[in-house]
Amino acid sequence: MPISPARIRAYTLTTALGHGCRPHRQALSEMRPGLRLWTPEEAPVQSWAGVVDGLDAVRLPARLAEFDCRNNRLAELALGGDGFAEQVEAARERRGPSRIGLFLGTSTSGIRHTEQCYRRHFEEKTPGLGDDLRFAYTHAYVSLADYCRRRLGLSGPAVVISTACSSGAKTFAAAQRALSAGLCDAAVVGGVDTLCATTLLGFHALGLLSPTPCTPWGQGRTGISIGEGAAFALLERDGDADDDGLSLLGFGESTDAYHIASPHPQGDGAVLAMRAALDSAGLSADAIDYINLHGTGTPANDLSEDRAVARVFGEAAIAGATKGWTGHTLGASGAVEAVISLICLREGLLPGTLNTQRFDPELKTRLIRNSEARPIARVLSNAFGFAGNNCALVFGRTSCA
């Protein structure tokens, strides 16, 4: 059954490509990457990664200093992009702080801060882990929502979602349900995730880190390039749309639980999510102008997603994958790529597929090689997490739905 579209008032993102929407649009248009070689002190494993510069210099407001950790610094930096915090303040004045919900995704939260405290303890022989390790404020998942809630002056429902790589996308679905149920009149959604040794060493142990910048859909692809990033959007259930006239038109979720890490080989869960997204938007598959693929660059994930897309859209779908620019930003990736989808709609931009020189001939979905300008009205964005936690989002202009 079609849902009532949620209006998108504002959106922003910060990744290795820069701070705010403008540098992302420029990098996507110019096929300019954000990945670089990265070897953290605490984990002597070299990889290509999307690192956000300048986070060590970010300072949280004095009243929120107890939340200081890399993840909350990235949230603070991102909230200041594209006038987003000011847009939320305006919504708070219109709606009241108790009528604005907060739905955020993360997978690592403040783990890097805790890693550093342990490292200091064992290397410098400090007694205990230090006063700067405050679990509820610098490590736990709730830290992100609690920080953003206080920072933005909100008192409505607040939720943190952690379903690995689909976390940030699922916040849009959760917010739309809350808006439809009347639990809130507006919602801040998004995701924030930062690089840490646990993630780097985990993917290294799984043999999933690519020794070169990741090559989604590429022949001989070898794995992912990890990254960090943050993205936020402000949704409202009624009122005028923003100047771009963009809305969340539909969403679909599934949990196939095929395997703890590997996707279903035929993409069964992904198919369910994409079909549910189209149904909730009241659209047929041929109404989608562009598919923003999850496109991690691993052999199994790309093959599974390709089979799923072919089952839903056939072999003529126009698609691309953007992790070659930002890296896989993990729990933030679904939100980051949702905002990239909004930029593509606003700018009339189809991103190419960075780094991939030769596409895998066994994959059927046709990917755009080089970025091009082309008006588009509707985008479907995929995000798939461990254990088959899948989410697909449809964005577009309400007048075109």
Side-chain angles (χ1 to χ4, degrees):
M1 180 180 295
I3 64 170
S4 297
R7 308 279 191 170
I8 298 173
R9 280 279 187 182
Y11 47 91
T12 189
L13 76 169
T14 295
T15 72
L17 293 178
H19 177 42
C21 291
R22 182 176 180 182
H24 288 79
R25 175 187 58 78
Q26 292 175 333
L28 292 169
S29 299
E30 299 167 3
M31 299 287 288
R32 177 167 42 82
L35 302 180
R36 68 171 186 251
L37 279 171
W38 176 65
T39 306
E41 285 184 40
E42 60 269 30
V45 174
Q46 188 178 72
S47 68
W48 287 86
V51 182
V52 176
D53 290 324
L55 290 183
D56 289 341
V58 173
R59 294 292 176 264
L60 307 187
R63 63 186 175 87
L64 300 174
E66 60 191 348
F67 286 92
D68 188 42
C69 65
R70 186 175 181 85
N71 212 56
N72 289 334
R73 289 181 183 183
L74 179 52
E76 173 63 26
L77 180 63
L79 287 171
D82 300 297
F84 186 79
E86 290 77 10
Q87 290 279 0
V88 175
E89 182 179 2
R92 192 183 67 215
E93 293 299 317
R94 291 194 305 272
R95 304 289 191 173
S98 66
R99 297 300 299 167
I100 301 178
L102 183 67
F103 303 84
L104 301 178
T106 189
S107 66
T108 65
S109 191
I111 287 178
R112 186 172 187 178
H113 182 80
T114 302
E115 290 173 348
Q116 292 170 335
C117 291
Y118 270 97
R119 184 174 179 226
R120 181 180 61 203
H121 169 70
F122 287 111
E123 293 185 357
E124 301 177 13
K125 309 302 181 184
T126 59
L129 298 178
D131 294 338
D132 56 333
L133 178 58
R134 299 174 292 275
F135 184 84
Y137 299 99
T138 63
H139 180 110
Y141 288 143
V142 70
S143 167
L144 175 63
D146 198 10
Y147 175 75
C148 291
R149 197 182 195 205
R150 298 188 194 200
R151 172 66 174 80
L152 297 170
L154 307 179
S155 57
V159 175
V160 174
I161 295 172
S162 187
T163 53
C165 308
S166 61
S167 305
K170 289 170 76 70
T171 66
F172 286 80
Q176 201 284 332
R177 284 192 291 268
L179 292 169
S180 295
L183 298 177
C184 50
D185 299 319
V188 173
V189 303
V192 184
D193 237 339
T194 36
L195 292 166
C196 63
T198 299
T199 299
L200 178 67
L201 294 174
F203 280 109
H204 177 66
L206 290 170
L208 293 177
L209 282 182
S210 176
T212 61
C214 66
T215 57
W217 252 245
Q219 187 173 20
R221 61 193 180 277
T222 54
I224 71 171
S225 299
I226 60 174
E228 57 189 356
F232 294 98
L234 174 63
L235 277 57
E236 291 193 83
R237 66 174 179 172
D238 53 26
D240 295 333
D242 70 346
D243 291 340
D244 299 331
L246 301 179
S247 295
L248 171 67
L249 301 180
F251 66 87
E253 297 173 283
S254 68
T255 306
D256 58 51
Y258 170 77
H259 185 272
I260 192 171
S262 299
H264 191 284
Q266 300 302 321
D268 284 3
V271 168
L272 289 173
M274 288 187 284
R275 286 178 175 165
L278 292 171
D279 289 345
S280 68
L283 298 172
S284 59
D286 59 7
I288 300 299
D289 299 312
Y290 172 70
I291 302 170
N292 180 35
L293 299 165
H294 188 56
T296 63
T298 66
N301 278 310
D302 286 6
L303 178 60
S304 171
E305 186 173 12
D306 179 73
R307 289 172 173 170
V309 170
R311 289 169 63 184
V312 177
F313 294 93
E315 298 181 18
I318 298 174
T322 58
K323 288 182 172 65
W325 273 277
T326 64
H328 190 337
T329 58
L330 309 174
S333 63
V336 165
E337 292 173 26
V339 172
I340 287 176
S341 297
L342 295 171
I343 294 171
C344 292
L345 282 163
R346 182 182 68 191
E347 302 292 338
L349 172 66
L350 295 181
T353 306
L354 197 63
N355 308 325
T356 303
Q357 300 300 315
R358 183 174 299 174
F359 290 120
D360 187 339
E362 295 186 10
L363 304 184
K364 298 178 180 179
T365 307
R366 177 167 58 107
L367 266 62
I368 299 166
R369 183 175 297 279
N370 298 305
S371 299
E372 59 183 87
R374 185 191 304 180
I376 52 177
R378 303 176 194 89
V379 172
L380 181 138
S381 186
N382 281 334
F384 306 137
F386 282 161
N389 281 290
N390 308 300
C391 184
L393 305 172
V394 177
F395 297 102
R397 290 177 174 81
T398 309
S399 59
C400 296

